[in-house]
Amino acid sequence: MRDLIVVAGHTNVKGLDQGASANGYTEGQLAVEFRDLLIKELEFLGIPVKTDSNKNALVQTLQWLKGVLKSDKTVCIDIHWNAASSKARGTEVIVPDNASIFENNFAKNILNVFVSNGFVNRGVKPESQTARKRLGWMIPPAENILIEMGFITNLLDINLYQNLKYKLAKELAFVIYKSLI
């Protein structure tokens, strides 16, 4: 079985890196909540999960990853929320520009969990198609996936998440379990 690392983006509790904020939430707050729900479901399935400290900004998380990565087959999942206008909606999953077959298939399976639960399909995208063009999360030698769960700026996405977060965590944990074995 592959090793699994799941982190939440923008969790720096000092306020330096909390990510986007809208509709009464911060990106870090929602990402941590879902990461913790997902880890609980994964552990219920018997999958050991490593995660970093909620005090880390991206630079510290990448440093931490260097110390815990055991192989290039380790699966690393980073959870985020998008932000744009209040009309932008949907889930997208980001993979490295040179994504492996595993990364592409895994990303499609992750995206399908969200789409089958009513989130708009924004697709699986290589990092070069993101606003930043290069993402630190894609650098470590591992199977890297970044989930943009929805738009924190869109109340429909927020409400859908709030109503389905436990179901999403359970279904996503099962998809991850099947991919790791």
Side-chain angles (χ1 to χ4, degrees):
M1 180 177 291
R2 295 171 184 252
D3 287 334
L4 177 63
I5 296 170
V6 179
V7 303
H10 305 290
T11 60
N12 187 291
V13 294
K14 293 179 183 174
L16 302 174
D17 184 20
Q18 294 182 3
S21 62
N23 295 310
Y25 299 99
T26 65
E27 181 178 2
Q29 170 192 18
L30 291 175
V32 166
E33 177 185 53
F34 189 72
R35 179 208 58 204
D36 292 348
L37 291 172
L38 179 59
I39 288 173
K40 182 179 177 186
E41 293 296 333
L42 288 162
E43 289 174 343
F44 178 77
L45 293 171
I47 306 291
V49 183
K50 292 182 180 117
T51 192
D52 72 329
S53 166
N54 287 346
K55 296 177 183 174
N56 288 351
L58 178 61
V59 171
Q60 288 115 352
T61 297
L62 293 175
Q63 283 298 111
W64 171 80
L65 274 175
K66 287 180 186 178
V68 298
L69 280 175
K70 291 184 180 176
S71 85
D72 61 356
K73 298 302 179 197
T74 298
V75 176
C76 296
I77 300 171
D78 193 12
I79 298 169
H80 286 263
W81 281 81
N82 257 327
S85 75
S86 61
K87 293 180 178 150
R89 293 194 64 203
T91 302
E92 61 191 19
V93 182
I94 312 303
V95 297
D97 282 339
N98 58 346
S100 68
I101 292 169
F102 176 87
E103 286 166 321
N104 279 315
N105 289 335
F106 189 49
K108 288 174 191 172
N109 291 336
I110 288 170
L111 182 60
N112 286 337
V113 168
F114 289 90
V115 173
S116 69
N117 280 287
F119 285 83
V120 172
N121 184 345
R122 293 179 55 87
V124 172
K125 298 179 180 176
E127 66 178 310
S128 61
Q129 289 183 14
T130 65
R132 297 201 185 327
K133 307 296 182 208
R134 284 285 292 150
L135 302 173
W137 188 254
M138 301 301 160
I139 295 170
E143 304 282 11
N144 301 313
I145 302 290
L146 187 147
I147 305 169
E148 293 281 6
M149 294 191 42
F151 280 81
I152 196 170
T153 49
N154 184 286
L155 275 174
L156 293 173
D157 276 0
I158 291 290
N159 290 334
L160 190 57
Y161 166 74
Q162 291 297 352
N163 290 327
L164 296 174
K165 59 188 168 188
Y166 299 102
K167 183 176 189 272
L168 289 168
K170 184 179 280 281
E171 290 180 13
L172 188 56
F174 187 69
V175 164
I176 293 167
Y177 170 78
K178 287 186 350 185
S179 298
L180 295 178
I181 56 173

